[in-house]
Amino acid sequence: MAAEAPPPSTEKAKLPTPEEFTEVQESAEFGELRRSYRSFAFPLTIGFIVWYLLYVVMSNYAGGFMGANLVGNINVAFVFGVLQFVSTFLIAWWYSKHAAAKLDPKAEAIKTRMEGGA
């Protein structure tokens, strides 16, 4: 059973001029979009790098602590290693929620305006 779909549009999309790109880049709305992104991404990036370097430094210089068994043959280093993966996935999930709620609507509004839809 074939679904009926309208034929593709033959209208060409309006392409913004370089001047329009510059105007949008200098706008307060675009500045707010950039601030929203940076205020979320930069602190999390720095935090994750510090967390990762802590793991590496402790693995190199705190062998006794990292080798301490917690439960059976599971030691601190193994738990820290697993937590690296967990924190990576949590940050990715958190960013996707943040982007969907705060970044995507602002970006879509700018895009729509640039393409002549608003």
Side-chain angles (χ1 to χ4, degrees):
M1 174 178 215
E4 291 187 32
S9 175
T10 57
E11 295 179 27
K12 290 195 175 197
K14 175 192 170 279
L15 296 176
T17 65
E19 293 79 20
E20 289 173 319
F21 277 111
T22 302
E23 181 182 324
V24 167
Q25 183 180 11
E26 294 171 353
S27 72
E29 187 179 20
F30 189 76
E32 178 58 33
L33 175 62
R34 253 193 335 229
R35 269 189 299 285
S36 293
Y37 169 74
R38 288 178 179 169
S39 67
F40 185 87
F42 287 175
L44 276 178
T45 300
I46 291 168
F48 184 79
I49 289 171
V50 168
W51 161 237
Y52 175 74
L53 290 176
L54 175 71
Y55 173 67
V56 171
V57 168
M58 288 183 69
S59 293
N60 282 317
Y61 298 108
F65 172 72
M66 295 296 274
N69 287 337
L70 297 175
V71 177
N73 288 331
I74 297 175
N75 60 18
V76 174
F78 179 77
V79 171
F80 272 30
V82 169
L83 288 176
Q84 290 289 315
F85 287 100
V86 171
S87 62
T88 299
F89 288 110
L90 284 175
I91 289 170
W93 171 79
W94 192 13
Y95 175 77
S96 72
K97 300 295 272 182
H98 172 75
K102 304 234 169 122
L103 304 178
D104 292 347
K106 292 176 186 176
E108 188 61 35
I110 293 170
K111 178 183 173 227
T112 301
R113 194 173 61 253
M114 288 286 290
E115 292 176 345

